[in-house]
Amino acid sequence: MELRWETPPVAARPGRADPQELEIATQLREHPDRWARVLDFTDDEQPKASTLATQINRGKRSAFRTDQIQENGEFEAKSRKIRNTNVTALYVRYASIGNND
């Protein structure tokens, strides 16, 4: 039996990605390596920013998954408490491979 050596593609789950997240991902791809403040969370909702950042970084959010074979980048996310406010913000960028800014 002859083996075919290839990397499997990213699993796609059509229809499962949030439409708002798909739009955000599209805009981020159009502006690679630029951070965007995507969402703000206040009061008891603030921990959600960290949770979403982790999910994006681990490829758990469908809209922010990338196919390393076809794309030259990946999504990166961070959450940050905004000083002197009641806000924790979610920042996301589509980073070119090899860019460590």
Side-chain angles (χ1 to χ4, degrees):
M1 176 168 93
E2 185 177 331
L3 299 179
R4 292 177 60 178
W5 300 101
E6 61 184 50
T7 304
V10 173
R13 296 182 187 163
R16 299 206 46 179
D18 179 282
Q20 180 182 8
E21 289 181 4
L22 284 171
E23 176 60 30
I24 291 167
T26 298
Q27 289 183 46
L28 292 169
R29 280 183 172 98
E30 292 171 358
H31 302 278
D33 301 318
R34 293 184 63 195
W35 286 100
R37 185 167 163 179
V38 175
L39 293 169
D40 289 346
F41 296 89
T42 59
D43 302 319
D44 294 339
E45 301 284 309
Q46 291 185 66
K48 289 183 179 183
S50 176
T51 300
L52 276 172
T54 299
Q55 290 174 344
I56 291 168
N57 290 330
R58 292 184 178 169
K60 302 290 184 188
R61 305 294 294 191
S62 297
F64 299 101
R65 287 193 194 124
T66 56
D67 185 336
Q68 296 301 325
I69 296 170
Q70 296 179 11
E71 294 189 58
N72 194 26
E74 61 189 8
F75 289 97
E76 181 181 2
K78 298 179 181 188
S79 65
R80 294 291 186 265
K81 174 80 171 120
I82 306 303
R83 218 176 276 186
N84 301 320
T85 71
N86 187 30
V87 174
T88 299
L90 173 67
Y91 292 87
V92 186
R93 73 175 176 169
Y94 180 72
S96 299
I97 299 295
N99 187 343
N100 294 323
D101 291 342

